């Protein structure tokens, strides 16, 4: 065996391998993340932090009516989005996964079909449904007219706009939780399902009593991802309702409010990095804390069952 | 079992209905791309009168669509190249060499999996601005690389750890340098993991809208999703052209997905389960 190369050369080689990755992560993940906490305590002049103002930005976002009214209304909308997506999108996904689990003829094709919208950009999907929901020439109202229903201007009506965007989100994403549930269901042993069947369990019992507890790990992932997705919701409402959450703020969510605050809406064009940073930090803490708590609770549930 | 055929029939019907709901909107989108305003208004559900490429031709000649498409290809390809190259290098060091700070370095990369980088957009903007990278493709590429590296390092470290140590040892005994051992013996075996890492990052980068919206302002540098918003505004009275734009924008990734559906589904769902 040849003599080992000197250790400093080995060290240099390892450093060479790690350097580019570490440099990119430091410059574009670690440093920005740390500064975002710092920036939230500053008043900004353009893109430069100006004066240290303590918690004033946070107080404005949470308590001063000019900001706080929007903050809390937007948070409420995010909560509605989360609840609605859990019920409709993920409920439907669970049903689809169960239907696919049967592995009936054609199930592979169905798997590919249900996942197809997932690979499309939210911009494409948002514009497509905006055109379909158009009161003048959209196919949604044209289809309703065929059965004698007079459709609404879905995106223009305060009562239906948020629902219409939630529906679009469900159409876009349903394949994702469906295939995560399916992967979970496929890990359940055949013997378990056979035994349940022999004991006389029908599909309803199988779905609610046998499979549901056994796919708890998949459910955990779906809940957490839906939660993060719902409270970071931006692209679909931006494309379908604009940066102000039209009509009349009925579709305004935290992502839009953050974007308007930090980078300015079309009307004001003003950048406010101080309040923007405070809002981002609050959103980050909210997501991190609630996700961590939810993860603990959901994981405990997994072990129990 | 009694009743089984009926039940299976019911399930098939449910799946067929679901497939219709998923596919019919896309079918209408493609058909409408060939229609005039009058046709879309009068007969929204019927086939177009002709499959002439009038709308598509207008996209080609009157809009910057091809430029947006090209920008998306450049940005996505460059980001994926850097993610796979830097990710493989780092993962190789972590997986194949014991060194003092190994655990710390690997933690540093993995922590990136938890960070929603979009919420750090303000400091990122300031950072890129200081580096003179605002409104450049390079700036976007570096941010996407940072976004994709954690998952790439995670996947590749896991995979590279499974390769047997005998491979390296025998190469070393024959006097191969570390670089040669890595490039010629080890990395060819890691190709499947590299492909998964690339696909997992390709879709979110290709489809991303938020970072270009904030970082890119020159029309000639806009990516496809961002360019689409410009274009949808300009042609908002020309519905057929709008549908043609959406169809052409959806086409590249849809075709790739249909060709590689298994890898796409595995890559994207595993990305979530990690």
């Amino acid at each position: 065996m040849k003599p080992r190369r000197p250790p400093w050369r080995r060290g240099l080689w390892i450093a060479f391998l790690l350097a580019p990755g570490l440099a990119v992560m430091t410059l574009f993940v670690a440093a920005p993340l740390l500064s975002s906490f710092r920036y939230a305590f500053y008043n900004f002049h353009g893109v430069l932090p100006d004066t240290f103002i303590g918690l004033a930005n946070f107080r404005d976002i949470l308590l001063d009516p000019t900001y706080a009214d929007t903050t809390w209304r937007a948070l409420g909308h995010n909560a509605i989005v989360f609840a609605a997506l859990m019920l409709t999108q993920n409920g439907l996904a669970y049903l689809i996964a169960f239907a696919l689990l049967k592995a009936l003829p054609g199930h592979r094709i169905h798997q590919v079909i249900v996942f197809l919208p997932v690979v499309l950009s939210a911009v494409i999907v948002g514009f497509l449904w905006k055109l379909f929901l158009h009161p003048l020439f959209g196919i949604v109202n044209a289809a309703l007219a065929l059965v004698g229903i007079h459709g609404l201007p879905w995106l223009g009506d305060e009562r239906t706009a948020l629902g219409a965007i939630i529906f679009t989100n469900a159409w876009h994403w349903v394949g994702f939780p469906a295939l995560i549930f399916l992967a979970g269901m496929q890990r359940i042993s055949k013997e378990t399902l056979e035994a349940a069947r022999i004991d006389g369990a029908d599909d309803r019992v199988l779905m609610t009593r046998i499979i549901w507890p056994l796919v708890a790990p998949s459910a955990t992932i779906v809940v957490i991802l839906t939660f993060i997705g719902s409270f970071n919701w931006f692209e679909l409402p931006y494309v379908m309702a604009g940066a102000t959450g039209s009509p009349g703020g009925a579709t305004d969510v935290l992502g839009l409010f953050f974007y308007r605050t930090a980078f300015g809406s079309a009307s004001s064009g003003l950048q406010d990095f101080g309040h923007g940073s405070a809002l981002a930090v609050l959103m980050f803490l909210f997501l991190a804390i609630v996700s961590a708590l939810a993860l603990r609770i959901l994981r405990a549930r997994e072990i129990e069952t | 079992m009694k009743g089984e055929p009926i039940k299976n029939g019911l399930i098939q019907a449910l799946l067929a209905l679901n497939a219709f709901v998923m596919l019919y909107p896309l079918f209408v989108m493609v058909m409408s791309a060939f229609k005039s305003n009058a046709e879309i208004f009068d007969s929204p559900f019927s086939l177009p009168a002709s499959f002439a490429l009038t709308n598509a031709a207008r996209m080609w000649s009157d809009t910057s669509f091809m430029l947006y498409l090209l920008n998306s290809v450049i940005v996505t390809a460059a980001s994926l190249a850097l993610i796979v190259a830097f990710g493989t290098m780092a993962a190789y060091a972590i997986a194949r060499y014991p060194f003092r700070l190994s655990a710390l370095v690997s933690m540093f990369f993995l922590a990136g999996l938890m960070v929603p980088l979009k919420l750090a957009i303000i400091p990122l903007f300031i950072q890129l601005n200081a580096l003179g990278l605002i409104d450049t493709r390079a700036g976007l590429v570096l941010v996407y690389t940072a976004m994709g590296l954690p998952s790439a390092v995670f996947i590749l470290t896991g995979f590279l750890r499974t390769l047997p140590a005998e491979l390296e040892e025998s190469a070393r005994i024959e006097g191969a340098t570390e670089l040669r051992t890595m490039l010629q013996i080890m990395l060819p075996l890691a190709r499947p993991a590299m492909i998964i890492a690339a696909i997992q990052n390709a879709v979110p980068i290709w489809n991303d809208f938020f970072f270009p919206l904030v970082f890119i302002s020159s029309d000639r540098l806009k990516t496809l999703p961002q360019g689409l918003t410009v274009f949808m505004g300009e042609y908002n009275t020309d519905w057929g052209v709008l549908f043609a734009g959406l169809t052409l924008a959806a086409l590249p990734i849809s075709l790739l997905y249909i060709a590689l559906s298994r890898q796409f589904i595995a890559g994207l769902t595993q990305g979530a389960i990690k």
Side-chain angles (χ1 to χ4, degrees):
Chain A
M1 200 159 136
K2 287 201 169 189
R4 286 246 165 208
R5 292 180 183 89
W8 64 268
R9 280 194 57 176
R10 185 171 165 280
L12 207 63
W13 166 243
I14 293 173
F16 163 76
L17 289 174
L18 292 172
L22 287 179
V24 171
M25 290 296 291
T26 308
L27 274 176
F28 299 104
V29 179
L33 209 67
L34 292 177
S35 348
S36 78
F37 284 89
R38 195 167 61 85
Y39 290 156
F41 298 93
Y42 280 82
N43 186 13
F44 267 71
H45 189 80
V47 299
L48 295 171
D50 199 34
T51 36
F52 180 85
I53 50 167
L55 291 168
N57 287 329
F58 293 99
R59 199 187 49 222
D60 287 349
I61 293 289
L62 294 174
L63 302 171
D64 176 4
T66 40
Y67 292 91
D69 287 355
T70 316
T71 310
W72 296 108
R73 185 186 59 182
L75 183 70
H77 288 155
N78 284 108
I80 293 172
V81 171
F82 173 66
L85 288 178
M86 283 301 297
L87 282 174
T88 57
Q89 173 184 295
N90 298 341
L92 210 61
Y94 187 73
L95 271 181
I96 293 169
F98 184 72
L100 289 170
L101 182 67
K102 297 257 169 173
L104 299 175
H107 72 284
R108 275 195 201 289
I109 282 286
H110 282 297
Q111 233 166 302
V112 173
I113 290 172
V114 78
F115 205 73
L116 175 59
V118 174
V119 305
L120 297 178
S121 163
V123 176
I124 296 177
V125 172
F127 276 128
L128 182 63
W129 281 96
K130 196 178 174 180
L131 294 177
F132 285 163
L133 292 164
H134 197 283
L136 190 60
F137 63 89
I139 58 164
V140 172
N141 283 358
L144 290 174
L146 291 179
V147 289
I149 299 173
H150 188 73
L152 293 166
W154 305 102
L155 288 169
D157 190 316
E158 289 184 15
R159 290 162 304 168
T160 54
L162 189 61
I165 307 177
I166 291 171
F167 164 82
T168 307
N169 191 94
W171 182 84
H172 186 193
W173 279 102
V174 68
F176 193 76
L179 294 196
I180 290 188
F181 277 132
L182 179 63
M185 290 178 189
Q186 283 167 339
R187 276 195 293 271
I188 300 171
S189 74
K190 288 262 184 307
E191 289 77 28
T192 312
L193 295 180
E194 275 310 309
R197 282 229 179 270
I198 290 164
D199 289 345
D202 61 12
D203 273 359
R204 202 173 51 82
V205 173
L206 208 61
M207 215 163 30
T208 55
R209 299 275 174 76
I210 316 287
I211 294 179
W212 176 241
L214 289 174
V215 295
S218 307
T220 304
I221 296 166
V222 168
V223 172
I224 298 287
L225 288 180
T226 307
F227 174 72
I228 295 175
S230 304
F231 283 86
N232 267 329
W233 219 40
F234 176 76
E235 306 198 335
L236 219 44
Y238 179 87
V239 166
M240 297 180 76
T244 54
S246 67
T251 57
D252 198 19
V253 284
L254 287 172
L256 293 176
F257 181 44
F258 166 68
Y259 177 75
R260 286 202 309 275
T261 309
F263 298 100
S265 59
S267 53
S268 74
L270 278 177
Q271 289 185 342
D272 182 353
F273 280 2
H275 286 104
S277 295
L279 187 52
V281 166
L282 288 171
M283 285 169 71
F284 177 76
L285 292 177
F286 174 72
L287 286 177
I289 292 168
V290 178
S291 304
L293 283 177
L295 207 58
R296 271 191 103 117
I297 295 165
L298 293 168
R299 287 263 187 258
R301 188 185 71 108
E302 282 171 27
I303 295 160
E304 239 167 61
T305 47
Chain B
M1 217 183 288
K2 191 165 62 97
E4 201 68 357
I6 300 172
K7 216 180 317 164
N8 285 349
L10 223 76
I11 286 173
Q12 285 286 31
L14 182 89
L15 286 175
L17 178 70
N18 179 61
F20 177 79
V21 172
M22 292 288 132
L23 291 180
Y24 189 68
L26 296 174
F27 176 75
V28 172
M29 169 180 81
V30 177
M31 289 306 119
S32 307
F34 295 101
K35 293 179 177 178
S36 64
N37 268 7
E39 266 186 284
I40 290 174
F41 186 77
D42 292 333
S43 45
F45 301 107
S46 55
L47 294 177
S50 87
F51 282 94
L53 295 170
T54 332
N55 293 332
R58 282 192 58 195
M59 306 259 336
W60 177 277
S61 58
D62 300 359
T63 76
S64 311
F65 187 88
M66 293 314 285
L67 191 63
Y68 302 145
L69 183 69
L70 185 71
N71 285 332
S72 271
V73 171
I74 293 172
V75 168
T76 308
S79 306
L80 292 181
L82 290 186
I83 288 169
V84 173
F86 294 174
T88 309
M89 285 165 72
Y92 194 80
I94 295 167
R96 305 307 299 189
Y97 301 103
F99 59 96
R100 226 180 317 148
L101 298 174
S102 177
L104 193 70
V105 168
S106 130
M107 277 280 289
F108 182 65
F109 278 112
L110 292 192
L113 286 173
M114 322 289 178
V115 176
L117 207 50
K118 286 184 181 177
L119 288 179
I121 187 106
I122 291 173
L124 271 174
F125 184 93
I126 294 170
Q127 179 86 308
L128 289 176
N129 196 40
L131 296 169
L133 290 170
I134 282 291
D135 204 21
T136 63
R137 292 192 203 92
L140 266 188
V141 167
L142 286 168
V143 171
Y144 288 144
T145 305
M147 199 171 75
L149 267 177
S151 65
V153 170
F154 178 74
I155 293 168
L156 283 156
T157 309
F159 190 87
L160 287 167
R161 281 217 170 101
T162 63
L163 298 179
E166 290 79 30
L167 283 171
E168 271 167 302
E169 289 305 323
S170 63
R172 281 200 191 110
I173 289 165
E174 283 165 29
T177 62
E178 296 294 315
L179 179 67
R180 251 184 91 120
T181 311
M182 175 172 114
L183 288 181
Q184 296 193 336
I185 314 284
M186 306 298 279
L187 292 192
L189 297 169
R191 211 172 288 154
M194 290 183 192
I195 291 172
I196 288 286
I199 286 187
Q200 200 176 94
N201 286 296
V203 177
I205 294 175
W206 176 264
N207 286 339
D208 186 54
F209 171 60
F210 190 59
F211 287 122
L213 177 69
V214 173
F215 295 151
I216 303 289
S217 49
S218 308
D219 192 57
R220 61 181 180 86
L221 294 175
K222 284 182 173 161
T223 61
L224 194 52
Q226 190 190 10
L228 213 51
T229 60
V230 177
F231 162 83
M232 296 300 283
E234 274 171 16
Y235 286 79
N236 61 8
T237 52
D238 232 324
W239 310 325
V241 180
L242 296 182
F243 280 111
L246 293 175
T247 304
L248 285 176
L251 203 60
I253 194 131
S254 306
L255 291 179
L256 205 64
Y257 167 68
I258 290 163
L260 298 170
S261 58
R262 198 182 291 263
Q263 286 86 339
F264 266 74
I265 291 173
L268 290 171
T269 50
Q270 274 169 27
I273 299 171
K274 78 205 164 191

